[in-house]
Amino acid sequence: MSSNALHRRRTSALPAELTSFVGRRQEIHDVRRLLSECRMVTLTGPGGVGKTRLSLKVADGLQRAFPDGVWFIELASLDRPELLVHAIVEALEIRDRSSRPPLDVLIEHLDGTRALIVLDNCEHLVQACAVLADALLAAVPELRILATSRQPLGIFAERTLTVPPLALPDADGGRLSTPAVSDAIRLFGDRAAAVVPEFAITDENRDVVERICHRLDGIPLALELAAVRLRALSVNELLDRLDDRFRLLSASSRAVLPRHQTLRALVGWSYGLCDENERVLWARISVFNGGLDLTAAEAVCSGDGIAEEEIVDLVTGLVEKSVLIREEGPSGVRYRLLDVIRAYGRERLAESGQEATLRRRYRDHYRRLAADACANLFGSSQVEWFTRLRADHPNLRAALEHYHADPDDAPAGLGMATDLLYYWISGYCLGEGRDWLDRGLAACPRPDAVRARALWTCAWVAIIQGDLDAAGTMLEEGRAIGQRLGLTSVQAYVALYSGMIAVYRNQVEAAIPCYREAVALHRTTGDLAGLVLSLMRLALAHSLRGESARAVAAAEEGIAVCDAHGEVWHKGYTTFALGVEVWRQGDLPRAASLEQESLRFNHALDDRLGVAVGEEVLAWIAATGGNHERAAVLMGIRQRTWQAISAPLSGYGNLLRYHDECEARVRAALGEDAFRAAVRRGAAMPDDEALAYALEQPSPSSGPSGAAPGSPLTRRETEVARLIAKGMSNRQIASALVVAERTAEGHVERILHKLGFHSRTQIARWLIEQEGTGN
């Protein structure tokens, strides 16, 4: 496989769908067979029939067949076809920092890989999904695509499989013994037992259960919704009420297909069994995309008859009725609606006449969220804010789209996109951020403060992407507006990024006055983030000119500002800049210590650019000290990281000469064959081992925290399991192991998958048993 390998990711991104999966042996076999014979398979069928669950189950079982990754992309929350490729780039965790079209970026990252992509819920984006699938399959020969949709995509390579309802026993009452026949009954029994623990299918109730399953056509979602009613009803009472409800439905809706009648009736029945405020909340929550947390529900859904303090009890009631699905993630507890449930809620919201009001509240809530994240950018809560924004990405997209739907609201949308600057540049969505900013600037030509701020913001994104001409044009306009309106903060950032462009163009002497102006202006405005950024860039510029004392003074001032406010992200970059100068002075041990400290910060924040520059400088330090083998291995590690973000030394092009000098020195010292072998070794290291190597720590695969003999877990996974047993959260585990929180999450997911568990408590009990018995 090529060096730009995909990171593996568990396909059970929607655990509720997999934990309630029952049967489908024939369908699983058929899908696997089709994927072995052709390159794209689309699962079709009505809502609620189990297309998503089947795709997840198939994908989960095919991970070994696709060594370069199995990727699940949920599209139900995506409204704009133009964002389809961006959504896939984000899901595949591709941190591209170039200005290339995102489809080109996606194809390059998939090139040479054997991977499976699952596109879930394509029906509202059929044309866009068809065009994308066609392009990917043509460009990547070993790629397979599994899609779910209520209709086929209609491309040449596609094979379709209609997902039937779960198999039922004979309508005449005969009971066949094959497992497939009992799938519907098994699912109903499993879900009923989850609601009423003492419930079991017996000879006495079997006939009634079978009639319920027939009445519901074996539709999985319908069976689950009906099972919830057993909290209050017996199975006989449940059947009687199903008969009554469907008799009314059939009399009034003869034009609707029977299976659609069944599901709609069950969703409607769930709606009818809610109290009035629960119904109102259901309708209001349907305005969200992807999911929401309790804070969002309180902010958007309270008012007009529902007090904010009532929301938590109403949410609890909807969870108990299986309307809302409760999930725990890195940002805490979140809730989501299944697509069918959301669609029903949106119909009720439209009927209520409150849709426009709720959409305004919704978009304004996420605008405030973006503004709050921006205001808390410089401080100790950065990780929490970025984690929260990532969880709400579908909602942020939808809010921006709502603002752009009305030209009068476009300035507010542009301000929101500007507030999200650090989110765009820190994650997998730099290109998407540039698109939102460009779109907003086009819609807001008025030369005001909103446009001026957006201009320098978009210019920074363009600089990161290497689009210097566009950045220069935006900065010139921003400078003019800032001067005319007396906007000191705008002038400060224009000066900072003008200096960066000058450095990129090897005009370091021209850059230093720009950086000094930026430092002075940021001191005036009190913008600490801008101040530290300017000091960091000034330190690098002085270092390039050989002005060591000035370089060290600028960097140390920036670090002091960060320490005074508990800030780690800007500190990581400023520590990196100080390490470059200390290396140039020849103090290799201190330089290595500084770069390793920077690397820890940036790895904990999942900032791949920061990790890459740290690995880069550590290679220079090793080469200078004559440790050419280590330097070459670090080159392999940094090469993989640079390729993962598609922009070597992005934002730090002025350091390329050190990069080239290091490579030439090491290549000459080792010889071509040994050099290439060492680079390959570094490029092949797993992320945890690469980090440990760069930090000069013991490898995670060795040491006292090893796995017990016969354990299915690796040494690092055993270490994680021990931390889970101590009650640590993913965030605490990440901190203890000095890894990114996403990495810790991946370890926990793999442990659950290997052991066949569904909770952390099960892991803790298993570990106690294993280590207690010595197994």
Side-chain angles (χ1 to χ4, degrees):
M1 187 181 69
S2 62
S3 57
N4 51 327
L6 298 176
H7 296 285
R8 290 194 185 186
R9 180 173 176 175
R10 287 272 297 132
T11 55
S12 52
L14 304 176
E17 278 78 355
L18 273 185
T19 54
S20 60
F21 190 89
V22 168
R24 300 279 196 197
R25 292 184 181 179
Q26 185 60 49
E27 288 88 347
I28 292 171
H29 171 77
D30 290 344
V31 177
R32 288 179 174 174
R33 176 180 55 79
L34 286 173
L35 281 172
S36 70
E37 296 173 354
C38 59
R39 301 189 54 209
M40 179 171 183
V41 176
T42 300
L43 306 181
T44 62
V49 80
K51 301 184 296 294
T52 295
R53 298 176 188 183
L54 178 57
S55 71
L56 280 167
K57 190 67 176 179
V58 170
D60 191 53
L62 288 177
Q63 292 192 77
R64 289 188 179 181
F66 294 97
D68 299 327
V70 175
W71 306 85
F72 184 90
I73 297 100
E74 202 281 321
L75 302 177
S77 63
L78 199 66
D79 293 328
R80 283 181 60 210
E82 297 86 349
L83 293 176
L84 175 60
V85 181
H86 285 302
I88 297 175
V89 167
E90 179 187 356
L92 267 63
E93 301 181 355
I94 300 171
R95 291 182 186 256
D96 181 74
R97 305 177 78 86
S98 72
S99 58
R100 295 176 301 158
L103 180 58
D104 293 349
V105 172
L106 179 59
I107 287 173
E108 179 181 300
H109 276 262
L110 290 170
D111 184 35
T113 64
R114 181 172 176 81
L116 172 66
I117 291 179
V118 183
L119 300 177
D120 188 46
N121 289 310
C122 299
E123 52 270 359
H124 62 304
L125 300 169
V126 168
Q127 180 62 28
C129 288
V131 171
L132 173 67
D134 215 20
L136 291 179
L137 293 174
V140 188
E142 293 298 310
L143 179 69
R144 295 289 189 275
I145 296 176
L146 177 60
T148 74
S149 177
R150 296 185 189 181
Q151 67 182 89
L153 302 191
I155 69 172
F156 180 76
E158 180 185 39
R159 296 279 296 276
T160 62
L161 187 146
T162 300
V163 179
L166 292 175
L168 294 161
D170 289 345
D172 295 333
R175 298 191 190 107
L176 301 179
S177 59
T178 58
V181 173
S182 61
D183 283 352
I185 294 174
R186 285 175 53 211
L187 176 59
F188 183 85
D190 287 351
R191 303 317 295 156
V195 172
V196 182
E198 61 270 21
F199 179 85
I201 297 175
T202 65
D203 290 340
E204 288 74 23
N205 66 20
R206 184 180 298 274
D207 287 338
V208 178
V209 171
E210 289 181 0
R211 290 171 64 191
I212 289 171
C213 293
H214 273 287
R215 200 65 172 105
L216 298 178
D217 293 327
I219 298 175
L221 180 56
L223 292 167
E224 295 195 27
L225 291 175
V228 173
R229 305 281 74 83
L230 294 180
R231 286 196 178 101
L233 304 173
S234 70
V235 287
N236 288 292
E237 291 170 329
L238 174 61
L239 178 61
D240 290 342
R241 282 159 177 76
L242 284 176
D243 283 338
D244 290 343
R245 183 165 187 84
F246 289 178
R247 193 174 299 116
L248 289 172
L249 178 74
S250 298
S252 60
S253 306
R254 296 185 187 279
V256 182
L257 293 174
R259 285 174 186 163
H260 291 177
Q261 287 181 349
T262 299
L263 187 57
R264 187 172 181 81
L266 260 294
V267 176
W269 191 24
S270 293
Y271 186 79
L273 290 174
C274 295
D275 67 33
E276 182 57 32
N277 279 350
E278 287 174 339
R279 295 177 197 173
V280 172
L281 184 62
W282 177 348
R284 292 179 182 180
I285 282 179
S286 70
V287 78
F288 288 87
N289 283 264
L292 70 155
D293 56 23
L294 185 60
T295 300
E298 291 170 338
V300 176
C301 301
S302 62
D304 299 322
I306 297 181
E308 184 174 320
E309 57 268 22
E310 292 181 80
I311 295 292
V312 62
D313 290 334
L314 294 174
V315 165
T316 301
L318 292 178
V319 170
E320 290 175 348
K321 293 176 176 67
S322 295
V323 173
L324 274 177
I325 296 175
R326 179 187 183 277
E327 298 176 327
E328 290 200 37
S331 61
V333 174
R334 291 180 64 82
Y335 308 92
R336 66 182 177 89
L337 297 167
L338 293 178
D339 191 39
V340 172
I341 305 283
R342 179 184 290 108
Y344 190 93
R346 287 185 174 176
E347 289 179 10
R348 305 289 78 77
L349 183 62
E351 291 171 357
S352 72
Q354 292 188 321
E355 185 174 13
T357 299
L358 263 293
R359 289 194 182 280
R360 282 194 296 272
R361 288 185 197 167
Y362 170 77
R363 70 179 193 185
D364 291 346
H365 169 72
Y366 285 102
R367 182 187 176 193
R368 289 192 298 271
L369 183 70
D372 289 345
C374 184
N376 287 277
L377 169 67
F378 196 87
S380 58
S381 59
Q382 289 168 335
V383 175
E384 289 79 5
W385 276 105
F386 287 148
T387 301
R388 186 173 178 183
L389 291 176
R390 284 170 184 159
D392 271 315
H393 195 144
N395 290 312
L396 296 171
R397 278 187 182 131
L400 287 166
E401 192 62 48
H402 289 323
Y403 278 118
H404 283 292
D406 186 339
D408 292 338
D409 293 328
L414 180 57
M416 179 179 171
T418 302
D419 283 337
L420 290 169
L421 168 63
Y422 274 73
Y423 175 63
W424 304 133
I425 66 177
S426 69
Y428 307 97
C429 43
L430 185 70
E432 181 181 341
R434 174 78 182 272
D435 286 350
W436 284 117
L437 289 163
D438 283 341
R439 186 179 179 189
L441 287 168
C444 304
R446 183 179 175 182
D448 56 13
V450 173
R451 181 172 177 84
R453 181 166 171 256
L455 283 165
W456 69 251
T457 300
C458 195
W460 189 4
V461 175
I463 290 170
I464 293 172
Q465 293 179 322
D467 192 358
L468 301 185
D469 291 339
T473 300
M474 286 185 275
L475 290 175
E476 283 303 313
E477 183 185 351
R479 187 194 309 276
I481 298 173
Q483 290 175 343
R484 184 164 64 252
L485 299 181
L487 303 173
T488 304
S489 62
V490 171
Q491 295 178 63
Y493 278 105
V494 168
L496 170 60
Y497 299 129
S498 296
M500 288 178 62
I501 290 176
V503 169
Y504 255 108
R505 291 172 172 162
N506 295 316
Q507 299 166 352
V508 179
E509 292 193 10
I512 288 180
C514 293
Y515 291 148
R516 287 176 176 164
E517 178 187 0
V519 168
L521 292 174
H522 282 307
R523 290 193 205 281
T524 300
T525 63
D527 185 336
L528 298 179
L531 174 61
V532 174
L533 276 174
S534 302
L535 287 167
M536 184 268 288
R537 293 289 177 174
L538 181 60
L540 286 172
H542 280 310
S543 182
L544 280 169
R545 293 185 65 188
E547 298 167 349
S548 296
R550 290 178 176 177
V552 171
E556 288 183 342
E557 181 184 350
I559 291 171
V561 173
C562 292
D563 286 340
H565 294 83
E567 212 282 344
V568 295
W569 192 13
H570 292 84
K571 180 178 179 179
Y573 279 94
T574 311
T575 302
F576 142 74
L578 179 59
V580 171
E581 176 52 34
V582 171
W583 162 68
R584 289 187 68 259
Q585 293 176 2
D587 188 346
L588 302 187
R590 185 179 176 221
S593 177
L594 288 166
E595 294 303 334
Q596 287 167 345
E597 182 181 7
S598 171
L599 183 57
R600 288 189 188 93
F601 288 146
N602 286 310
H603 196 276
L605 288 164
D606 197 24
D607 183 341
R608 297 297 291 275
L609 174 61
V611 168
V613 294
E615 294 165 347
E616 181 77 42
V617 182
L618 285 170
W620 305 346
I621 293 168
T624 303
N627 192 343
H628 300 112
E629 176 76 15
R630 173 173 167 78
V633 172
L634 286 167
M635 284 180 184
I637 293 171
R638 73 164 186 209
Q639 173 182 299
R640 184 182 61 180
T641 309
W642 283 133
Q643 288 178 336
I645 59 177
S646 299
L649 282 169
S650 173
Y652 299 92
N654 53 305
L655 302 178
L656 275 172
R657 79 183 198 202
Y658 298 140
H659 170 100
D660 294 339
E661 289 170 1
C662 173
E663 182 170 327
R665 175 185 297 178
V666 174
R667 193 185 295 270
L670 292 178
E672 192 63 26
D673 290 345
F675 171 78
R676 290 186 177 182
V679 169
R680 284 196 299 270
R681 176 184 159 202
M685 280 187 181
D687 286 347
D688 285 358
E689 288 189 23
L691 177 66
Y693 188 87
L695 295 177
E696 297 181 274
Q697 293 177 343
S699 169
S701 61
S702 63
S705 59
S711 169
L713 305 184
T714 65
R715 294 176 185 273
R716 175 48 68 98
E717 287 165 354
T718 302
E719 186 177 4
V720 171
R722 288 179 180 138
L723 297 178
I724 290 172
K726 292 180 180 179
M728 288 191 180
S729 66
N730 289 346
R731 186 176 301 163
Q732 291 169 325
I733 292 170
S735 177
L737 300 180
V738 196
V739 298
E741 190 169 342
R742 283 175 180 262
T743 303
E745 291 168 18
H747 285 312
V748 175
E749 284 187 344
R750 284 189 290 275
I751 292 168
L752 290 168
H753 178 59
K754 284 184 176 181
L755 300 179
F757 293 159
H758 303 296
S759 74
R760 302 166 81 93
T761 303
Q762 289 175 299
I763 295 174
R765 290 174 180 166
W766 175 86
L767 185 71
I768 292 170
E769 292 172 0
Q770 290 291 303
E771 299 196 335
T773 61
N775 291 332

